[in-house]
Amino acid sequence: MDVSGGSGQPRSGNDESAEPQAHPKAPAADPADSAAGEPTGPTATGPQAPGPGAPEPETPGPQSPPPATPGPDETPAARDEPVRAAPDTPPGTPDPDTGAAGDTGARPNPPSDGEHASGPAEPPGPTEPPAPAAGPRHAAHHTGADAPRHRTEAHTDGPGRPPQRRPEPGGGLLMGRPFGVPVYVAPSWFLVAILITWVFGGQLDRVLPELGAARYLVSLFFAVAFYASVLVHELAHTVAALRFKLPVRRIQLQFFGGVSEIEKEAETPGREFVLAFVGPLLSLVLSGVFYAALLPVEPDSVAGVLLAGLMVSNLIVAVFNLLPGLPLDGGRMLRAVVWKLTGKPMSGTIAAAWVGRALAIAVLIGLPLLTQSLGSDAADDVGMDTVMDALLAAILAAIIWTGAGNSLRMARLREHLPELRARALTRRAVPVQADTPLSEALRRANASGARALVVVDGEGAPASLVREAAIVGVPEHRRPWVPVSTLAQDLTDGMRVSAELSGEELLDALRANPATEYLVVEETGEIYGVLSAADVERAFVKAMARPS
């Protein structure tokens, strides 16, 4: 589904200036952490990292005094907060890249705003969060099998290691990778295939009674051929997206059609219109092809019935998807037109989404009336047919209504994506040697108002990041004898991100290289700080909750 972003500038993770501060003030405790019941006194039990109110009695050297507790309305800046005990990731969780305990790769996904659906209706697009999100539910893309690899390399620094391939999206049974895009069949498709086989088999019994039980085999073939047509419809969207350098995450065949998950919106309304129109256009072409193939065939034969059924079904797919309401292709075309007239993609999304909601109401009321007026006159069939028609209308209406609402939500979220800036969300970090005791490293961090530790080599070059979850897992009485190197994760190219990244570029970089912490560097290569994936996720959720 297409959503569009704006240029709003409210902070998403902190209130600090984007420029680094050389001499930060003493940090304040986070009220959210205090409200969560974080132990702050020396009598607290359980593993915890020293914070503003957690002294270390066994730490060699002077202790940093605890700062004053802020009021309930104060929000500390992300780069000026000290290392705390409350972890964003529970200790013991295996890291997806290294297998080290305490690391996770969970993070928000950007909204999937370029989804196209085929069939009687388009199911609401998945949110991979925000990745989520991806969500959240859209970064430059190259055609062919090299596309996923290029997305990963775009955010890696240096030739030291080969880039890590982005995890597979999943979503059912993998059928293949046409044009380098994975195609999945969702479990719900098998239910629809059974339903189509049963319904079409009943129709074949009236047209070709001599088939007997073999009619269900013919019906199953029709169900597979119909969804092959739906796949062709989705491939049309995919090819157009790849032609416009838009990344396609996957194609999924599911209940009531298919979805092409295009991860970035088109740059112009013209491309948006073309991207939406090619799917219904190809369904119309397929309908014409089946009609041409039907002409020399005997209508009462198995081939004639199959070709006629495929011709009609593809025509229905094309016409239904051309209806002018999101999340259908016609809604995307309407959005492109309004976008062109107003110059505002958000205005197009709002207009097409509300038309989609009106369309959902029309389907809920009008479809049972239409099918009843065109249905059988047999009194025995009227009751069951009416119930089935009403159920089908309710399902279609719910799918359209939900899809339209998701389109609005993703569009509003995209307006706030520019607020996710690596520079603003980065935590201040202090460099320490590998053999530095954990207690001494935390004392230095608290004294300088830092919230992260970077292990450097003898020349001062960053070598690894101390994991916050691992710090929490070390009891206070053991910290003077635990070197920070035992709690650190080696830096890979993908764990280095530019301080200039923001919005979708930032989320794409984190999704391509899952980790819990990232080293943020300036364009000159200097260390700016450490970015926690949990901080980005919190800012992402905050942006989702904020109204336009």
Side-chain angles (χ1 to χ4, degrees), residues 273-286:
F273 188 93
V274 172
L275 192 60
F277 181 61
V278 290
L281 176 62
L282 199 55
S283 292
L284 287 174
V285 170
L286 285 176

Side-chain angles (χ1 to χ4, degrees), residues 17 20 25 40 166 169 302 341 410 436 524-525 535:
S17 169
K25 297 179 181 180
T40 56
R166 181 177 169 185
V302 172
L341 294 176
M410 292 299 119
T436 304
T524 59
D535 289 344

Side-chain angles (χ1 to χ4, degrees), residues 503-517:
E504 282 192 63
E505 291 183 352
L506 175 61
L507 295 181
D508 287 339
L510 303 192
R511 285 202 312 165
N513 302 277
T516 53
E517 287 95 6

Side-chain angles (χ1 to χ4, degrees), residues 264-319:
K264 187 177 181 180
E265 78 170 13
E267 297 178 353
T268 65
R271 290 186 174 185
E272 169 75 355
F273 188 93
V274 172
L275 192 60
F277 181 61
V278 290
L281 176 62
L282 199 55
S283 292
L284 287 174
V285 170
L286 285 176
S287 182
V289 169
F290 288 126
Y291 174 75
L294 178 63
L295 294 178
V297 176
E298 181 65 30
D300 293 335
S301 64
V302 172
V305 173
L306 285 176
L307 290 172
L310 291 172
M311 177 193 69
V312 173
S313 60
N314 277 277
L315 181 62
I316 293 175
V317 168
V319 172

Side-chain angles (χ1 to χ4, degrees), residues 56 67 80 94 125 141 153 168 196 204 261 278 336-338 354 393 406 416 456 472:
E56 298 177 19
D80 288 341
H141 183 75
E153 293 173 351
E168 286 295 335
I196 292 176
L204 282 176
E261 296 182 20
V278 290
V337 172
V338 177
W354 280 105
N406 285 342
H416 299 294
V456 297
V472 178

